[in-house]
Amino acid sequence: MSAPGVPPRVLTVAGSDSGGGAGIQADLKTMLALGVHGMSVVTAITAQNSLGVQGAWELPADAVRAQYRSVVDDIGVRAVKTGMLASAELVETVAELLSGTDAPVVVDPVGVSKHGDPLLAASALDAVRTALLPLATVATPNLDEVARLTGVRVGSEEQLRDAAAAVLTYGPRWALIKGGHLPGDAVDLLTDGREEHWLRAPRHDNRHTHGTGCTLASAIAAHLAKGDSVPRAVRAAKDYVTGAIAAGFALGTGIGPVDHGWDLTRGAAGA
């Protein structure tokens, strides 16, 4: 438990987005907005803006390990979220660290950026399947990531069940299959293989959606750190990211980010 007056502590293990819309920047903004203390382990540095990723450099495994131990051994964590891990070596390093940490883990198996730029080596997919997913409290793949990891391609809402079943075979306790790429309302399926939770939200006519996956996974981790059950945490996170998408704004000349402070600024405007 956190000491009195100390917010729950959440750790993101992910890459840096220099444009501030995704990655650890999005994670930390989300955590602040949701009232938890965000901490970070940087796995890679990207040169990134509204047009795409111009370059990416992964950090040495020893640097990732040192950051993680520094935070966890002294400050402790109530939940961990993983994002861009870049290579098989980093996936295996992070999995080893997580296996010794007593906290829920949200795995966002980031494969490509919003613009289609690769953020995970193809050679790392087996490590994600065999080392990382079995440690996940919740795995949050989108449909492209489901296809890369399992070979299952989803073209309809009904096929979300097939995708979830395929992901669950790799061992996460819960799978949240994000159906945002399907037509119609934004519908996601959360299941542990026994119970199902269908989460629906209206689709907003806003192209500025950079960082949605990072934001959703971080919001889930924040609510888990507060003690919410997985279904409750995911539903609250879905509500938060839906509002952030609706408030997404233009930045640069390409795809802008979601607004992580949408609820805070709305409250300030009404004060």
Side-chain angles (χ1 to χ4, degrees), residues 1-268:
M1 297 293 292
S2 298
V6 177
R9 298 138 296 162
V10 183
L11 177 63
T12 170
V13 183
S16 168
D17 173 1
S18 57
I24 59 169
Q25 287 81 357
D27 298 339
L28 295 174
K29 292 174 187 178
T30 299
M31 293 170 189
L32 178 64
L34 295 178
V36 300
H37 176 68
M39 306 170 291
S40 63
V41 170
V42 181
T43 59
I45 298 169
T46 69
Q48 188 171 171
N49 56 26
S50 69
L51 298 174
V53 178
Q54 291 78 47
W57 301 266
E58 67 181 81
L59 269 65
D62 285 348
V64 171
R65 187 178 293 106
Q67 291 177 82
Y68 190 98
R69 291 265 61 93
S70 178
V71 170
V72 173
D73 294 348
D74 174 51
I75 301 172
V77 294
R78 294 286 300 277
V80 183
K81 175 258 178 180
T82 70
M84 176 186 179
L85 299 181
S87 68
E89 182 182 18
L90 289 187
V91 171
E92 291 164 356
T93 297
V94 171
E96 177 188 353
L97 293 163
L98 291 172
S99 67
T101 303
D102 184 18
V105 177
V106 180
V107 172
D108 185 18
V110 176
V112 298
S113 75
K114 177 70 68 177
H115 304 86
D117 304 292
L119 299 176
L120 179 72
S123 58
L125 290 173
D126 276 344
V128 171
R129 296 182 191 106
T130 61
L132 190 61
L133 286 178
L135 301 173
T137 307
V138 190
T140 65
N142 62 30
L143 300 186
D144 291 336
E145 290 156 355
V146 167
R148 288 190 83 201
L149 288 166
T150 71
V152 174
R153 300 192 177 277
V154 175
S156 68
E157 184 177 309
E158 293 74 19
Q159 291 175 313
L160 291 175
R161 285 193 178 97
D162 298 331
V167 171
L168 287 171
T169 62
Y170 293 111
R173 284 178 49 204
W174 293 82
L176 175 65
I177 309 300
K178 299 179 294 190
H181 293 171
L182 295 174
D185 287 348
V187 58
D188 305 327
L189 172 60
L190 172 70
T191 180
D192 62 354
R194 295 179 296 277
E195 59 183 270
E196 291 183 351
H197 301 266
W198 293 86
L199 299 94
R200 299 179 186 277
R203 188 177 299 279
H204 295 287
D205 185 19
N206 186 355
R207 67 188 291 260
H208 302 300
T209 56
H210 185 48
T212 51
C214 303
T215 300
L216 179 64
S218 294
I220 295 170
H223 283 285
L224 290 175
K226 294 178 180 181
D228 287 351
S229 66
V230 169
R232 184 174 176 181
V234 171
R235 192 167 297 280
K238 172 85 167 180
D239 290 343
Y240 170 74
V241 79
T242 299
I245 291 170
F249 53 91
L251 198 69
T253 56
I255 299 174
V258 301
D259 184 355
H260 299 95
W262 68 273
D263 204 25
L264 303 176
T265 54
R266 181 178 65 174

